[in-house]
């Protein structure tokens, strides 16, 4: 399949947010085959006219009417003539995910969608909880982050028990209040507004998830910027994180904060 998958998904999501009718019609023609079909739980929409009408109705109800926008979850993958990816509907001004959908599309030789199957992902499932956690993490609100954790948490660290004086937040935790304190302490030791990171891959199976990515921060005490590879193993029960196992390049973090 000779196609930029991420670019394709960006175009797909953008058409649901498009407010201009003519631009929306043009985008539909550039994405779906003339006899393409979109299938949802309750209906099938065949041909570009029906698909455009379906997208227009969704836009009028959710985007123009209710103030939501659609966003890609950044998890697109595919092979041969198929692509699958997750989308979220969120308030345009920011806030919690209101709806999550999973799409599975089949492309023709011309790169246009022959069939598009959409599935609603139930609220509180593992994927949505992990996405919500990562969104809150990016926003940097410790109390908000803690809200997606259970009252009691199995907190697992790949770090010596005696710890390190330069990184006091790397220590055992067990409660939701501990989680808030953990992320609050991290913020205190770093330059505000410079925290960043990426989740290069999210893998979900049942109620377990693995997040692979990196952390990019600047130490307040030394002014040293660093990047540390990181992996998280999460267990989700009833929409809350009950196990948080973190495997990071903690040596790089300690060296940056101590100036060694």
């Amino acid at each position: 399949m000779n196609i930029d998958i991420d670019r394709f998904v960006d175009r797909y999501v953008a058409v649901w947010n498009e407010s201009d009718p003519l631009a929306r019609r043009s985008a539909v023609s550039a994405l779906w085959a003339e006899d393409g079909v979109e299938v949802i739980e309750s209906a099938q929409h065949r041909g570009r006219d029906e698909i455009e009408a379906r997208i227009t109705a969704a836009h009028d109800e959710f985007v123009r009417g209710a103030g939501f926008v659609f966003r890609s979850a950044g998890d697109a993958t595919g092979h041969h003539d198929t692509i699958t990816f997750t989308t979220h509907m969120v308030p345009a001004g920011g806030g919690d995910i209101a709806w999550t959908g999973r799409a599975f599309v089949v492309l023709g030789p011309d790169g246009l969608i022959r069939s598009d199957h959409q599935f609603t992902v139930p609220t509180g499932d593992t994927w949505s909880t992990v996405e919500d956690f990562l969104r809150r993490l990016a926003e940097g609100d410790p109390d908000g982050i803690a809200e997606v954790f259970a009252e009691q948490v199995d907190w697992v660290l790949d770090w010596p028990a005696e710890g390190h004086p330069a990184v006091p937040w790397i220590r055992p935790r067990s409660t939701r209040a501990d989680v808030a304190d953990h992320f609050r302490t991290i913020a205190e030791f770093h330059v505000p507004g410079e925290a960043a990171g990426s989740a290069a891959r999210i893998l979900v199976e049942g109620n377990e998830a693995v997040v692979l990515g990196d952390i990019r921060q600047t130490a307040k005490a030394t002014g040293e910027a660093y990047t540390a590879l990181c992996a998280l193993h999460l267990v989700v029960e009833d929409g809350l994180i009950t196990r948080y196992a973190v495997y990071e390049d903690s040596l790089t973090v300690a060296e940056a904060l101590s100036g060694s």
Side-chain angles (χ1 to χ4, degrees), residues 11 37 42-43 64-65 72 81 106 111 124 127-128 139 149-150 163 169 198 213 230 237 256 260:
R11 290 169 52 221
V37 58
S42 59
R64 183 170 61 85
S72 166
D81 58 353
V106 179
W127 194 284
S128 295
E139 292 173 351
F149 284 78
W169 65 84
S198 66
C230 180
E237 299 177 24
S260 60

Side-chain angles (χ1 to χ4, degrees), residues 14 47 53 71 76 110 120-121 123 155 196 205 207 209 211 214 230 248 253 257 259:
R71 297 279 188 256
D110 53 5
T120 296
V121 178
T123 302
W155 193 274
E205 182 174 337
N207 71 330
V211 180
D214 60 43
C230 180
E248 67 179 8
V253 179
L257 272 84

Side-chain angles (χ1 to χ4, degrees), residues 67-85:
F68 290 104
V69 292
F70 293 93
R71 297 279 188 256
S72 166
D75 63 344
T77 187
H79 60 78
H80 294 81
D81 58 353
T82 63
I83 301 174
T84 184
F85 53 93

Side-chain angles (χ1 to χ4, degrees), residues 4-256:
D4 184 329
I5 293 177
D6 291 330
R7 174 59 183 153
F8 173 88
V9 173
D10 287 344
R11 290 169 52 221
Y12 180 98
V13 174
V15 74
W16 299 86
N17 296 319
E18 179 56 63
S19 59
D20 181 81
L22 293 179
R24 186 187 306 129
R25 171 166 293 186
S26 177
V28 169
S29 296
L31 281 166
W32 278 270
E34 187 172 356
D35 58 349
V37 58
E38 187 200 39
V39 182
I40 60 176
E41 288 94 333
S42 59
Q44 294 187 14
H45 305 275
R46 295 187 175 276
R48 287 174 178 161
D49 288 345
E50 289 189 14
I51 292 171
E52 180 188 349
R54 143 84 170 148
I55 294 172
T56 298
H59 182 277
D60 289 347
E61 179 178 357
F62 299 112
V63 179
R64 183 170 61 85
F68 290 104
V69 292
F70 293 93
R71 297 279 188 256
S72 166
D75 63 344
T77 187
H79 60 78
H80 294 81
D81 58 353
T82 63
I83 301 174
T84 184
F85 53 93
T86 304
T87 58
H88 298 306
M89 186 175 73
V90 298
D96 293 339
I97 296 170
W99 174 86
T100 295
R102 187 75 179 166
F104 178 82
V105 303
V106 179
L107 307 179
D110 53 5
L112 297 177
I113 299 172
R114 303 291 303 175
S115 64
D116 170 13
H117 295 258
Q118 292 188 13
F119 305 87
T120 296
V121 178
T123 302
D125 74 309
T126 302
W127 194 284
S128 295
T129 299
V130 173
E131 287 288 333
D132 191 21
F133 163 68
L134 293 175
R135 177 183 62 80
R136 291 170 186 249
L137 189 63
E139 292 173 351
D141 176 13
D143 292 318
I145 296 169
E147 288 177 357
V148 300
F149 284 78
E151 288 289 351
Q152 296 294 317
V153 184
D154 180 16
W155 193 274
V156 183
L157 299 172
D158 184 21
W159 190 244
E162 62 272 17
H164 191 289
V167 285
W169 65 84
I170 305 181
R171 59 181 177 82
R173 309 280 184 170
S174 61
T175 68
R176 179 180 290 165
D178 287 341
V179 173
D181 178 72
H182 172 84
F183 290 103
R184 188 174 294 111
T185 305
I186 290 176
E188 292 172 356
F189 279 76
H190 293 87
V191 176
E194 295 193 14
S198 66
R201 182 68 64 187
I202 304 173
L203 309 172
V204 174
E205 182 174 337
N207 71 330
E208 298 187 48
V210 173
V211 180
L212 305 176
D214 60 43
I215 304 166
R216 298 188 293 275
Q217 302 245 50
T218 300
K220 187 182 294 185
T222 64
E224 184 174 343
Y226 66 85
T227 299
L229 295 178
C230 180
L232 302 175
H233 176 204
L234 309 175
V235 174
V236 176
E237 299 177 24
D238 297 325
L240 296 173
I241 297 171
T242 59
R243 187 175 192 270
Y244 183 84
V246 55
Y247 307 94
E248 67 179 8
D249 182 6
S250 300
L251 179 59
T252 290
V253 179
E255 289 177 343

